[in-house]
Amino acid sequence: MTTAEKAPSRRRVISWAFWDWGSSAFNAIILTFVFTVYLTKAVAPDPDSGSADLGVGLTIAGVAIALLAPVTGQRSDAGGRRKLWLGVHTVIVVLSMVGLFFVRDSPSYLLLGIVLISVGSVFVEFAGVNYNAMLVQVSTRQNVGRISGFGWSMGYFGGLIALTIVLFAFVQPDIGLFGVTSQGGLNIRVVALFSAVWFALFALPLFLFVPEAPASGEPVRRNFFASYVVLAKRLAHMWRTERHTLWFLIASALYRDGLAAIFTFGGVVAAGTFGFSASEVVIFAIAANLTAGLGALLGGRLDDRIGPKTVIVASLAALVVLGIALSVLPGKATFWVCGLALAAFVGPAQSASRTFLARIVAPEREGEAFGLYATTGRAVSFLGPLMFSGFIGLFGTQRAGMAGIVVVLIAGLAAVLPVRAPKGA
């Protein structure tokens, strides 16, 4: 009986999903709605140049992920050390958030902030390779969509709770918890420490209650670079015998980069273009996480009923329409309506992409497959930040940057249409 066929315990599923709950501290608070807004508005000389510099840093991070993710996944499969490396990479992300405490509200700290956020984004992606690969350890072929959607929703709901705490404890009050004020950006810097503790605490159940995956049986190579030779042979084999899988990896790379860019730059656009205050950005983020979590839960159930490809295509089509509206229509009300609707469709698209791959990959190659998943996504991950910062450079506004992200989504939708859906989905 394969790992994918074993009926997982409820405790194992919940423990696995709590890692997503914890990682929301980095994804929602640091990368999207709070710290990057602080970095571009309070640390950088001006929001437009700060946004462009942040885009450059995340582009470099994407290149690093693209080069290293599949090999790290392959080696964790071979050694049966998926959970070990998930732990190592989680610790590095936590330490990067601790380091953000030292980023004061002065342009001289901008480089430090961008470097730490970029490092965190690299290692949270490496951690995600092994975390996603564990999906088949906690699900069956019959409920993989629902459990994947549950994991995504836990991330969003965790972000909602964390953002609510951050808003009322540190961001909104003139004098926050422990007497924290906004002088020197202290209230936001303390939020980075809170996020580090949050991630570390909620990552623990996975390491306690989800067992390590068995080794794939392939030898672990001492020479790291020799793994690239193995990877090249594996890709050549996929081209000959699993071309539909390879094409899905390529097609999904495009639209997943657009999905990531929506959340990465959403808070920045809300503040810079639509005039949201720091508190308003966090309030919107709370509502967006609630909407996205509910969307992911519903999308996961639809995934098991109608298949992941249908969920992906419908979600992307809706995102394109909403993104165009957000790029041309003025007013805070527009951002509230279109932004929340965007969040509702991002979750299902992300979750269904993960289950699409989980349904077609061999059980002993999950790490390698999700490493390729991360790599193909990051091989073009410069597109979202580049289109965002490039359109800002060409047209001089953040609104134009949003239009650049819509172009990436359109390309991804066009690429995924001819992909063959998994059998039995």
Side-chain angles (χ1 to χ4, degrees), residues 217-355:
E218 294 185 358
V220 180
R221 291 160 180 81
R222 293 175 180 270
N223 185 344
F224 183 87
F225 295 100
S227 299
Y228 285 97
V229 177
V230 177
L231 177 63
K233 292 179 180 178
R234 173 69 178 143
L235 288 173
H237 178 75
M238 290 180 69
W239 175 257
R240 292 192 302 270
T241 63
E242 304 172 58
R243 197 168 299 180
H244 67 289
T245 303
L246 192 58
W247 182 249
F248 168 72
L249 291 171
I250 296 169
S252 69
L254 291 170
Y255 69 74
R256 285 187 291 120
D257 191 47
L259 299 176
I262 288 173
F263 271 93
T264 299
F265 298 109
V268 172
V269 171
T273 297
F274 292 89
F276 279 48
S277 67
S279 295
E280 287 176 319
V281 170
V282 178
I283 292 170
F284 172 80
I286 292 169
N289 274 266
L290 175 60
T291 305
L294 294 174
L297 280 175
L298 177 60
R301 293 185 176 276
L302 289 174
D303 185 326
D304 286 331
R305 289 177 176 270
I306 63 177
K309 182 181 175 181
T310 305
V311 173
I312 292 168
V313 170
S315 298
L316 290 178
L319 288 168
V320 168
V321 173
L322 292 165
I324 292 172
L326 196 59
S327 299
V328 299
L329 297 177
K332 286 186 178 180
T334 295
F335 191 87
W336 271 101
V337 173
C338 293
L340 291 180
L342 278 168
F345 287 103
V346 167
Q350 291 172 322
S351 177
S353 299
R354 180 164 66 183
T355 63

Side-chain angles (χ1 to χ4, degrees), residues 19 68-69 71-73 76 81-97 119-131 199 207:
W19 188 93
L68 297 172
V71 170
T72 58
S76 65
R81 295 179 177 178
R82 188 174 294 162
K83 193 165 70 170
L84 169 65
W85 286 111
L86 174 59
V88 170
H89 297 150
T90 297
V91 168
I92 294 174
V93 178
V94 169
L95 291 177
S96 74
M97 290 191 282
V119 168
S121 69
V122 169
F123 285 96
V124 80
E125 193 76 36
F126 286 172
V129 168
N130 288 306
Y131 172 75
F199 193 5
F207 300 104

Side-chain angles (χ1 to χ4, degrees), residues 145-161:
R146 186 165 68 254
I147 290 178
S148 178
F150 173 66
W152 276 109
S153 71
M154 283 285 281
Y156 289 125
F157 293 143
L160 185 157
I161 300 299

Side-chain angles (χ1 to χ4, degrees), residues 370-392:
F370 280 103
L372 288 170
Y373 185 72
T375 288
T376 50
R378 290 303 179 170
V380 296
S381 65
F382 64 89
L383 278 179
L386 180 62
M387 293 293 279
F388 180 76
S389 57
F391 270 49
I392 291 175

Side-chain angles (χ1 to χ4, degrees), residues 32-42 47 163 166-167 170-174 187-188 266-286 331-333 335-336 398:
T32 305
F33 292 113
V34 179
F35 208 92
T36 51
V37 174
Y38 164 73
L39 203 63
T40 55
K41 288 194 71 176
L163 284 165
V166 162
L167 174 65
F170 302 112
V171 175
Q172 197 172 59
D174 292 330
N187 60 331
I188 307 300
V268 172
V269 171
T273 297
F274 292 89
F276 279 48
S277 67
S279 295
E280 287 176 319
V281 170
V282 178
I283 292 170
F284 172 80
I286 292 169
K332 286 186 178 180
F335 191 87
W336 271 101
Q398 284 184 335

